[in-house]
Amino acid sequence: MFDPDTELVKRAGQGDRAAAQALMARHLPKMMTLARRMLGRQAEAEDAVQDAFLKLWTHAARWEPGKAKFETWLYRVTMNKCYDRLRKRPGASLDEAAEVVDPTPAADAVLANAELGGEIEAALQALPERQRAALLLCHHQEMGNIEAAEVLGVSVEALESLLARGRRTLRARLGHLK
Amino acid sequence: MDDDAMWAEALLKDLPGVPAPAALERRILADFDRVAARRRGWFASLSGMVWPGAPAWQPAAVLAAALVVGIVAGSAVPLEDTTEQAATIALDAPPSFDLGEAS
């Protein structure tokens, strides 16, 4: 399995700053977008992404090529950092949230609408985290089902179930669009 | 792809990306520098103080070269002849025992 990041990760692990910058340039925009859409809050998203990269820097020297695709691993780390923050929110429980759809978007999400231009962001924020993650990975980040399932740590069947429920809920809310 | 999937694809595909602020890039690189400095260890920290900005192999190579030059110079340059001086000292020294006393 050819991984275009292997060489850069190896060099970053040896302290090569240019390699670290190249890795950041390649992956930061996607990670930032994912975290921002997952969390709905800019500051939290930045912290989550920074934590994910810190984990990358500390693990780069021990990175074993061929074990996993680097990008998949980085997505997974970023997603876990997002989950950590969602769990820390007052009154939040990821397991409960995974089952219950919040009918009203959070205040932050409402504010975010102004910058993101719309109902789509609010509707995404109102989805349970895992459904939101599945939709974002497959439809926004254009990831295949197998890779997305790997990122989320679920089976492909479970991912498809999350996708189906997420799409239905989203369409029920935003059916008037498109 | 079913109808819901096509609908979601059309809706989400074109959502704009979220640009990463320059300050975040600086924070991430500062983290990298801290981790790299910690990994390099004491020798690199010391060489960084003596020879800032250079990779660790440069001060290490200079130290090794200095050692080699010192050893070569030490073995190639002839020592001053001290044999005569050592003999004189030996003759001037008082005897450590007296043969006459013993008999």
Side-chain angles (χ1 to χ4, degrees):
Chain A
M1 176 180 61
F2 173 72
D3 190 340
D5 294 310
T6 301
E7 184 57 31
L8 286 175
V9 176
K10 188 179 156 198
R11 281 169 45 202
Q14 291 164 346
D16 184 339
R17 199 172 198 268
Q21 273 177 309
L23 275 175
M24 197 178 71
R26 190 178 286 178
H27 296 289
L28 179 58
K30 283 187 277 188
M31 300 306 143
M32 186 64 215
T33 299
L34 177 68
R36 179 66 176 73
R37 299 262 185 264
M38 276 303 294
L39 295 165
R41 299 173 183 177
Q42 181 70 17
E44 269 191 330
E46 287 181 22
D47 287 348
V49 171
Q50 186 180 358
D51 283 356
F53 272 90
L54 179 59
K55 187 158 185 176
L56 162 58
W57 306 145
T58 51
H59 282 68
R62 300 194 297 275
W63 177 254
E64 291 176 40
K67 221 175 172 184
K69 192 180 167 203
F70 170 76
E71 191 177 56
T72 307
W73 177 83
L74 187 58
Y75 265 111
R76 189 167 184 163
V77 171
T78 306
M79 193 61 85
N80 286 338
K81 298 294 177 191
C82 291
Y83 284 152
D84 289 347
R85 276 164 179 77
L86 289 167
R87 281 193 198 103
K88 281 180 194 161
R89 286 182 180 172
S93 156
L94 196 62
D95 292 335
E96 284 171 25
E99 300 306 322
V100 180
V101 179
D102 180 0
T104 51
D108 279 346
V110 174
L111 285 174
N113 285 344
E115 119 194 10
L116 292 169
E119 294 173 76
I120 301 173
E121 175 69 11
L124 275 174
Q125 289 304 312
L127 285 176
E129 282 82 354
R130 289 177 199 280
Q131 292 178 25
R132 180 160 74 244
L135 286 174
L136 287 172
L137 289 174
C138 292
H139 292 307
H140 187 47
Q141 307 273 333
E142 296 176 341
M143 200 175 266
N145 283 10
I146 295 173
E147 198 180 358
E150 215 175 301
V151 169
L152 295 178
V154 298
S155 66
V156 175
E157 291 75 23
L159 173 87
E160 284 168 355
S161 165
L162 287 169
L163 282 171
R165 281 183 285 154
R167 287 166 187 152
R168 267 200 308 274
T169 312
L170 204 59
R171 198 166 190 182
R173 287 168 182 274
L174 300 172
H176 57 286
L177 299 176
K178 299 221 173 184
Chain B
M1 205 185 260
D2 67 21
D3 190 42
D4 280 346
M6 282 191 291
W7 177 85
E9 179 81 14
L11 186 79
L12 298 176
K13 193 178 63 181
D14 297 328
L15 269 182
V18 179
L24 175 62
E25 293 183 10
R26 283 196 296 274
R27 274 157 50 197
I28 290 172
L29 279 177
D31 283 344
F32 174 82
D33 291 338
R34 262 193 301 277
V35 171
R38 209 166 48 219
R39 192 177 292 132
R40 280 196 300 268
W42 67 269
F43 178 78
S45 304
L46 186 69
S47 65
M49 279 191 288
V50 176
W51 199 325
W57 66 266
Q58 283 183 4
V62 169
L63 280 175
L67 189 66
V68 169
V69 168
I71 290 170
V72 169
S75 52
V77 174
L79 290 172
E80 211 176 294
D81 188 8
T82 53
T83 357
E84 197 179 318
Q85 190 184 354
T88 312
I89 290 167
L91 287 172
D92 288 348
S96 55
F97 55 89
D98 190 337
L99 289 173
E101 284 284 309
S103 62

